[in-house]
Amino acid sequence: MRVGIGYDIHRLVEDRRLFLGGVEIPYVKGLLGYSDGDVVLHAVSDAILGGMGMGDIGQHFPNTDPQYKGISSIELLKKVAVITADKKFVIGNVDVVVLAEEPKIDPFRQRMVETISRVLGIKKDRVNIKATTNEGVGSLGKGEAIAAYAVAALEEK
């Protein structure tokens, strides 16, 4: 068994749509990023790549490459799933923590689980999403950003 961890954080800004876990969430701000800024899918992608010893999404999908400008993070996770299969790994499970003061994650949690499980080709009970606040501390606590941590367990075929 191999385990990888991923982390991502993006600032919240006006005039951007908010995507978390591949789900568009109605909110007054969105996450600033070269892609759609989906910190959940970025953390999941990094956890999977890390578990395989294959670096991170910045190495595979650099923000200097115009083909990734504005790309849906679902498309990036699909590419990570292909890399995983090509390298003969199977994803055992993915566990995610979202750190956000707002918006509330719970109403969107199940759709995030369904999206991630579909893209990765794993059962829904192998994907867990949970959320917490930063208790008013730092940029996360002031509602200036959203972050996510993810852990992925992988088995070599």
Side-chain angles (χ1 to χ4, degrees), residues 35-46:
S35 66
D36 62 10
D38 188 328
V39 294
V40 171
L41 296 187
H42 294 178
V44 169
S45 295
D46 273 350

Side-chain angles (χ1 to χ4, degrees), residues 7-28:
Y7 172 78
D8 197 27
I9 184 171
H10 286 277
R11 285 183 286 146
L12 282 163
V13 296
E14 295 183 5
D15 299 321
R16 289 272 297 193
R17 294 162 47 200
L18 177 60
F19 292 93
L20 292 172
V23 175
E24 185 170 0
I25 296 176
Y27 191 59
V28 295

Side-chain angles (χ1 to χ4, degrees), residues 66-111:
Q67 71 176 314
Y68 302 121
K69 177 100 173 121
I71 193 170
S72 166
S73 295
I74 290 174
E75 296 305 313
L76 299 179
L77 187 59
K78 284 179 182 176
K79 292 176 185 292
V80 169
V82 169
I83 293 168
T84 304
D86 288 349
K87 294 294 181 182
K88 306 286 191 256
F89 280 91
V90 175
I91 299 165
N93 74 300
V94 174
D95 189 24
V96 180
V97 180
V98 182
L99 294 95
E101 298 298 311
E102 291 183 339
K104 295 295 180 196
I105 302 305
D106 195 55
F108 308 99
R109 181 188 324 263
Q110 190 56 39
R111 285 182 32 219

